[in-house]
Amino acid sequence: MRAARLIRMVLLLQSRPSMTAGELARELEVSERTVARDVLSLSEAGVPVYADRGRSGGYRLIGGYRTRLTGLGRSEAEALFLSGVPSALREMGLADVGSAARLKVSAALLPELRDAASGAAQRFHLDAPRWYHDPQTPELLPVIADAVWDDRRLTARYLRAGREVARELEPYGLVLKAGVWYLAARAVAGPPEAVPATPAGAGFRVYRVDRFTAAEPAEPAVPVDGPPDGRTAGDPARTGRFVRDPGFDLPAFWAERAEQFRHSLLREEAVVRLSPHGVRQLPHVTEPVAAKEAVERATAEGEPDERGWLTVTLAVESQEVAYAQLLALGPEVEALAPAALRERFAAAARRAAALYSPVPEEDAGTR
């Protein structure tokens, strides 16, 4: 914590001509006494922090002092922001770049702060894949990741509904969800100059990376040895690149599509009665958000019965899925509707009762 605070103090003083002890204390959420001790530590480490006395005084850096991340390239800087997800860096082929970036950052830190990277790595680790699933890196992920970083069009083939389709894509961003990689991209409907302008976020789709069967950077649309129409060498049409939509926000786009996908799956409803224990366990056996919404809606509309059981209307993917999920609650749930679902639960209860009914002694040896 103290190492991070010292770095923040230096960066704050770099960004402003001067700051009072009170201002620094508020920004860093510490006491003014702690600010004074931190300033002393920085001075002893060679950071030229100067204290101006008087009512309008404060702290400032002298001599134009700047702390720099010397030699940090663009790709290294981009990889640095992903360094908290080592598995993602490795799968995209950026492990070496990320390692170089971390080394350069460590070299730029004060000597007493250079263990910050290893300290953080020993205190936080992100393991993206789900339990009981062996992570598999899609073969074409590095190629697609390169195109995303480079804003380069992709000529790709993709499995959709059991058949292979060809697409030319503008790959905007990658998302790693529960160990599965997804690509947010916009399909190119025609030559680059013929693609119409669209509202921010329009025309984008989500593709599972492991369903790509081929992907390669698109060929330049204009010969490199001199376009007849006078376009410059930096024109996106010549390089195979595309101009990013400035209104596209990957986290917001993913959140919206994920919500749409969740609702598209939950097309049917089941009415069930739940014991107090069943209410608590419902989010663990069905879709958690749908379970939470169902319980909140039922609670707002009425009270549990005299036994404490609550009747809820739950959004489900299908009767088949609802049966498989809710069966895990055993005697803590009673299916009310639809009738076919209730009958399935009744039949399951009869089979279970037959299995656990007392066995006559003369028949015990035959089972």
Side-chain angles (χ1 to χ4, degrees), residues 9-54:
M9 179 178 286
V10 173
L11 294 176
L12 284 168
L13 292 173
Q14 278 186 190
S15 65
R16 307 179 195 182
S18 176
M19 294 185 71
T20 66
E23 290 171 336
L24 283 169
R26 283 192 297 274
E27 289 280 357
L28 300 172
E29 298 180 344
V30 296
S31 66
E32 293 188 22
R33 230 171 169 184
T34 299
V35 168
R37 285 198 298 267
D38 287 350
V39 167
L40 180 61
S41 296
L42 288 173
S43 297
E44 291 173 349
V47 179
V49 183
Y50 180 78
D52 289 317
R53 306 294 179 184

Side-chain angles (χ1 to χ4, degrees), residues 6-354:
L6 291 172
I7 294 173
R8 284 189 63 200
M9 179 178 286
V10 173
L11 294 176
L12 284 168
L13 292 173
Q14 278 186 190
S15 65
R16 307 179 195 182
S18 176
M19 294 185 71
T20 66
E23 290 171 336
L24 283 169
R26 283 192 297 274
E27 289 280 357
L28 300 172
E29 298 180 344
V30 296
S31 66
E32 293 188 22
R33 230 171 169 184
T34 299
V35 168
R37 285 198 298 267
D38 287 350
V39 167
L40 180 61
S41 296
L42 288 173
S43 297
E44 291 173 349
V47 179
V49 183
Y50 180 78
D52 289 317
R53 306 294 179 184
R55 287 185 60 186
S56 59
Y59 296 104
R60 60 187 174 88
L61 294 172
I62 61 174
Y65 176 85
R66 307 284 295 177
T67 180
R68 300 181 183 277
L69 304 181
T70 306
L72 195 66
R74 179 178 180 83
S75 61
E76 293 169 339
E78 290 170 335
L80 186 62
F81 286 101
L82 290 171
S83 59
V85 195
S87 60
L89 277 177
R90 184 172 58 253
E91 292 181 8
M92 288 191 291
L94 297 173
D96 291 342
V97 174
S99 177
R102 288 191 296 272
L103 287 172
K104 290 183 179 182
V105 171
S106 295
L109 294 174
L110 298 171
E112 65 267 28
L113 303 183
R114 288 177 186 166
D115 64 345
S118 61
Q122 295 305 317
R123 289 166 174 80
F124 176 78
H125 176 70
L126 177 63
D127 185 8
R130 294 176 293 168
W131 288 107
Y132 311 117
H133 287 76
D134 292 330
Q136 294 183 347
T137 304
E139 182 180 350
L140 295 171
L141 177 61
V143 174
I144 294 171
D146 282 346
V148 170
W149 286 116
D150 204 26
D151 294 340
R152 187 177 294 276
R153 282 187 176 85
L154 276 176
T155 300
R157 300 192 69 81
Y158 183 79
L159 289 175
R160 182 182 296 281
R163 65 187 183 90
E164 196 176 54
V165 296
R167 292 285 185 270
E168 185 173 1
L169 300 173
E170 294 178 347
Y172 268 68
L174 286 162
V175 175
L176 179 60
K177 169 72 171 179
V180 179
W181 285 94
Y182 298 89
L183 173 70
R186 184 160 56 185
V188 179
E193 60 273 17
V195 178
T198 58
F204 290 92
R205 299 191 68 165
V206 175
Y207 301 84
R208 273 186 62 144
V209 175
D210 58 6
R211 292 181 184 165
F212 282 96
T213 58
E216 59 183 25
E219 293 294 329
V222 180
V224 176
D225 55 354
D229 56 6
R231 280 179 282 190
T232 64
D235 191 300
R238 293 197 61 194
T239 62
R241 292 183 174 87
F242 63 93
V243 178
R244 292 181 71 87
D245 182 341
F248 181 77
D249 182 328
L250 180 60
F253 168 78
W254 177 259
E256 179 185 351
R257 290 304 171 91
E259 182 68 9
Q260 291 175 357
F261 179 71
R262 184 178 72 83
H263 282 291
S264 72
L265 287 179
L266 306 178
R267 298 182 296 270
E268 299 185 25
E269 289 184 341
V271 182
V272 297
R273 288 177 67 243
L274 295 161
S275 70
H277 181 68
V279 169
R280 292 192 295 272
Q281 291 301 309
L282 187 65
H284 300 290
V285 299
T286 63
E287 206 284 320
V289 177
K292 180 174 181 290
E293 290 175 350
V295 170
E296 288 178 347
R297 187 167 55 248
T299 304
E301 293 173 354
E303 296 292 328
D305 64 17
E306 64 278 2
R307 295 172 56 204
W309 285 56
L310 185 69
T311 299
V312 305
T313 301
L314 179 68
V316 296
E317 186 173 342
S318 66
Q319 288 188 35
E320 188 71 30
V321 172
Y323 172 75
Q325 292 176 337
L326 294 171
L327 197 62
L329 295 179
E332 309 300 327
V333 62
E334 178 189 2
L336 301 178
L341 180 62
R342 180 176 175 83
E343 178 52 38
R344 290 195 68 175
F345 271 90
R350 290 192 292 269
R351 293 197 303 271

